[in-house]
Amino acid sequence: MSNLSIVGFHVIGPVGNQIDAISAIKPSLVLLLDPAAGAVAAVKQVSPNTRVIGRVFKPDSEVAGQIEQDPIAAADWAFDILKPHIEANPAADWWQIANEVQQVEVAQIVRNAMFHRRLIDRLATIGARATIAGFSRGVPKTIAESPAHWGAYFDVMRYAKERGGLLLIHQYGYAPVNNDASWLLRRYEERVQPFLPDDLRDMPWACGEWGSDMGHQRQGWKTGYQLNAQRYVDDMHAAATATMQTDAGKYCVGLCIFTAGRVNNDWIDFEIDGDVMGRIVNRSWPQAHVSSPPSSPNTNVDEWAMRRGREIATISVAPGTALFDGIIRDGWLPNSPEVYEHGPDGRLYVLRSGESPDGRRKATYFALSGDWDNVRKAEA
């Protein structure tokens, strides 16, 4: 166990306004939006073991448009924007620019993955690390509801995990959050992480935004809890405790309450400065665990394809395309949808699992994306 609070802050505006709170609770993680030069060092000075995400703001529509047009070029564009911020705050642990974009359709998830894989590589050239995903609350849905969406992201999760990256998501509950059955607040812990492939369940993850959101008109805890700060803090304490009691809690880097500070009135209903912050500071919070080290990368494409085929074989069938035709030509039966992932050689593949009619033999059919005349088969 660490001596760091699992609950931290999503900070908007000067970090100096929140430095006393950071010093008091020693959060495991804080997220600084557009940090000024030296802001990360200021956090580390009062809480040396606190990890920091630096997020640089660009309008969602601009980032989404860049990724939609060309994910690789978009990552290069993002790198050029992030680089001066990294130079001004070299002590930051991770950096984020894509926030709640390219996340609804499977094709968008694929582009999100391609963007972040490239960004991981570009940031590594200057000794920096990236967050990945940046998914909004409830998106994608649970693995049971959206297996193809999550399946399309598994490979970049592996890639990030092996390189010190962080899976970043947003989770909010309706008020009162401790009676919320919408599976939006503890969605990852209870409906995603337990159903991930074995090698991804220890993926370091965090909530860059966490709290209560009524789901419309930018209404947060003030509307949901009718300004009852004590009840809100009590509920968030219960939620954090519940998270840390799950297996996923072992690998949670932090839960950043949205929002400490603001630059305009857009998010005033979420702001925790004042009464809520005072109650947070005076509360004892569950402590963060130390995450497991990253696993070693797999460099054999056929071995990787066979393993992935086993992992996706429990997902329901969605017929079509060249892989489906290849399985049928062999007299076999498909038992998964198609999954788009980058292979260990860095290229984008499409995979689909199949089995013999008697169910005794399993194989993965796969091809480079777009090279539909060269379908390959990896059989155990």
Side-chain angles (χ1 to χ4, degrees), residues 14 55 66 71 75 83 104 123 141 191 200 237 268 295 298 327 338 369 371 376:
R55 179 189 162 200
Q66 291 280 348
K83 187 176 179 182
V104 177
L123 291 183
K141 295 181 180 180
R191 295 298 180 96
L200 287 179
H237 188 279
I268 191 172
S295 57
N298 181 5
I327 295 171
E338 290 183 350
S369 180
D371 188 11
R376 295 161 63 183

Side-chain angles (χ1 to χ4, degrees), residues 62-82:
E62 183 178 1
V63 179
Q66 291 280 348
I67 298 174
E68 179 81 22
Q69 184 175 0
D70 185 335
I72 305 304
D76 295 338
W77 167 81
F79 173 79
D80 291 338
I81 292 170
L82 289 171

Side-chain angles (χ1 to χ4, degrees), residues 70-72 106-118 148-149 151-156 159 301 304-305 308 323 338-352 365-372 374 376:
D70 185 335
I72 305 304
V106 174
Q108 292 178 328
I109 294 285
V110 171
R111 286 191 289 270
N112 183 308
M114 294 173 67
F115 167 83
H116 280 106
R117 183 186 176 105
R118 173 71 169 183
H149 291 73
Y153 218 68
F154 288 165
D155 193 52
V156 76
Y159 196 77
V301 172
W304 162 79
R308 288 296 298 119
L323 301 187
E338 290 183 350
V339 172
Y340 286 77
E341 293 187 11
H342 284 93
D345 57 357
R347 295 186 291 178
L348 183 64
Y349 287 86
V350 186
L351 305 93
R352 190 163 194 172
Y365 290 75
F366 64 105
L368 284 168
S369 180
D371 188 11
W372 310 123
N374 293 296
R376 295 161 63 183

Side-chain angles (χ1 to χ4, degrees), residues 201-225:
R201 290 180 190 167
D202 62 351
M203 174 86 196
W205 67 281
C207 286
E209 296 182 18
W210 186 73
S212 181
D213 183 350
M214 299 310 292
H216 55 88
Q217 298 179 344
R218 296 183 175 179
Q219 293 179 349
W221 78 268
K222 293 180 181 179
T223 295
Y225 283 85

Side-chain angles (χ1 to χ4, degrees), residues 288-362:
H289 295 279
V290 177
S291 299
S292 301
S295 57
S296 300
N298 181 5
T299 57
N300 184 284
V301 172
D302 284 77
E303 179 183 341
W304 162 79
M306 192 59 236
R307 172 176 54 79
R308 288 296 298 119
R310 289 195 295 267
E311 290 166 355
I312 66 177
T314 58
I315 303 173
S316 61
V317 176
T321 76
L323 301 187
F324 177 83
D325 293 340
I327 295 171
I328 297 302
R329 277 197 304 270
D330 285 352
W332 285 35
L333 301 173
N335 61 5
S336 83
E338 290 183 350
V339 172
Y340 286 77
E341 293 187 11
H342 284 93
D345 57 357
R347 295 186 291 178
L348 183 64
Y349 287 86
V350 186
L351 305 93
R352 190 163 194 172
S353 179
E355 62 184 32
S356 61
D358 60 9
R360 296 179 181 178
R361 297 168 62 191
K362 312 288 183 183

Side-chain angles (χ1 to χ4, degrees), residues 25-316:
I25 73 168
K26 299 291 190 296
S28 177
L29 180 71
V30 296
L31 184 150
L32 305 182
L33 180 64
D34 287 332
V40 175
V43 171
K44 302 276 188 178
Q45 184 175 2
V46 301
S47 185
N49 295 320
T50 292
R51 285 161 285 189
V52 179
I53 298 170
R55 179 189 162 200
V56 175
F57 175 79
K58 285 291 178 181
D60 293 350
S61 59
E62 183 178 1
V63 179
Q66 291 280 348
I67 298 174
E68 179 81 22
Q69 184 175 0
D70 185 335
I72 305 304
D76 295 338
W77 167 81
F79 173 79
D80 291 338
I81 292 170
L82 289 171
K83 187 176 179 182
H85 293 272
I86 294 169
E87 292 170 348
N89 283 287
D93 297 271
W94 297 280
W95 289 91
Q96 177 199 7
I97 193 169
N99 191 68
E100 300 188 348
V101 299
Q102 295 290 326
Q103 60 179 0
V104 177
E105 306 295 336
V106 174
Q108 292 178 328
I109 294 285
V110 171
R111 286 191 289 270
N112 183 308
M114 294 173 67
F115 167 83
H116 280 106
R117 183 186 176 105
R118 173 71 169 183
L119 187 58
I120 288 168
D121 290 341
R122 290 304 308 274
L123 291 183
T125 65
I126 57 173
R129 297 184 297 182
T131 66
I132 63 170
F135 295 149
S136 59
R137 72 167 195 166
V139 181
K141 295 181 180 180
T142 66
I143 283 187
E145 295 170 298
S146 299
H149 291 73
W150 283 103
Y153 218 68
F154 288 165
D155 193 52
V156 76
M157 289 171 66
R158 292 189 177 93
Y159 196 77
K161 177 185 167 189
E162 292 161 358
R163 290 156 180 82
L166 179 70
L167 179 70
L168 190 66
I169 59 176
H170 299 166
Q171 296 196 136
Y172 292 92
Y174 299 118
V177 297
N178 60 355
N179 291 323
D180 181 10
S182 64
W183 295 106
L184 295 176
L185 187 64
R186 294 197 302 277
R187 168 178 52 99
Y188 182 80
E189 302 94 304
E190 302 192 22
R191 295 298 180 96
V192 176
Q193 188 266 0
F195 306 100
L196 290 173
D198 290 346
D199 65 322
L200 287 179
R201 290 180 190 167
D202 62 351
M203 174 86 196
W205 67 281
C207 286
E209 296 182 18
W210 186 73
S212 181
D213 183 350
M214 299 310 292
H216 55 88
Q217 298 179 344
R218 296 183 175 179
Q219 293 179 349
W221 78 268
K222 293 180 181 179
T223 295
Y225 283 85
Q226 299 178 335
L227 297 177
N228 188 332
Q230 186 61 56
R231 188 182 181 196
Y232 180 48
V233 172
D234 287 346
D235 273 8
M236 298 318 296
H237 188 279
T241 300
T243 289
M244 299 312 292
Q245 291 172 345
T246 66
D247 183 67
K250 300 175 186 175
Y251 314 108
C252 182
V253 175
L255 307 168
C256 298
I257 294 185
F258 185 87
T259 172
R262 57 186 170 89
V263 294
N264 54 45
N265 289 332
D266 288 352
W267 304 106
I268 191 172
D269 213 54
F270 292 79
E271 187 179 24
I272 61 172
D273 293 14
D275 197 8
V276 168
M277 183 65 84
R279 294 173 189 275
I280 290 173
V281 166
N282 291 318
R283 192 74 180 259
S284 176
W285 293 89
Q287 294 181 346
H289 295 279
V290 177
S291 299
S292 301
S295 57
S296 300
N298 181 5
T299 57
N300 184 284
V301 172
D302 284 77
E303 179 183 341
W304 162 79
M306 192 59 236
R307 172 176 54 79
R308 288 296 298 119
R310 289 195 295 267
E311 290 166 355
I312 66 177
T314 58
I315 303 173
S316 61

